[in-house]
Amino acid sequence: MTLLTTVFAAIICTIIWYKKLPDTTMKLGTLCLMYWGASLMWLIDAFFEYAELREEYFNPAPLDMLNDFYLGLSVVALGLIIWLAILIIKDPKKVVKTALFKKN
C-alpha cells in the first residue's frame, strides 16, 4: 500500500506539473521528484520483501495493509510539508516578503 500511495501521488503531481510546464515558479518538479524517489524506494522494498516472503507477500493481513496505507499517507504528507517549506523559503511569488514588509 505504501508503494501504491506514493505512485498515485507521483502520477497526480506529474500530471499537474506537466499541465503547468512552462510555469516553474511553484517548484512542482521538486515535489514530483520527491514522490518518484519515494516510489522507487518502496519498489525496491517490495522486491526485497517478495524475495523474503515469496507467496505470502501477496496475502497480507488487513491490519498490515492499513498500517502500510497510513505510512504511505504520512510519506505523502511529509513530501508536501517539505515542498511548502521550500516554497516559503524561496518565495517565488514574493507573497511572504510582501506580507512581512507590508506598511500600514
Side-chain angles (χ1 to χ4, degrees), residues 7-25:
V7 165
F8 283 138
I11 289 170
I12 290 168
C13 183
T14 303
I15 290 170
I16 294 170
W17 168 78
Y18 189 74
K19 286 189 174 214
K20 299 184 180 283
L21 193 55
D23 182 23
T24 60
T25 57

Side-chain angles (χ1 to χ4, degrees), residues 19-93:
K19 286 189 174 214
K20 299 184 180 283
L21 193 55
D23 182 23
T24 60
T25 57
M26 295 305 288
K27 310 282 186 212
L28 283 172
T30 304
L31 184 63
C32 291
L33 287 175
M34 283 192 284
Y35 287 156
W36 282 115
S39 298
L40 181 62
M41 178 187 69
W42 293 121
L43 180 65
I44 301 297
D45 181 61
F47 285 149
F48 279 97
E49 191 173 355
Y50 175 74
E52 181 181 329
L53 298 177
R54 295 290 176 191
E55 64 272 350
E56 292 177 18
Y57 176 76
F58 296 105
N59 296 319
L63 187 60
D64 291 338
M65 288 179 63
L66 185 63
N67 286 338
D68 285 347
F69 180 65
Y70 286 148
L71 181 60
L73 286 179
S74 65
V75 167
V76 170
L78 181 62
L80 282 173
I81 290 169
I82 293 170
W83 177 65
L84 286 173
I86 290 171
L87 280 181
I88 289 172
I89 291 169
K90 299 275 184 176
D91 197 16
K93 293 191 175 184

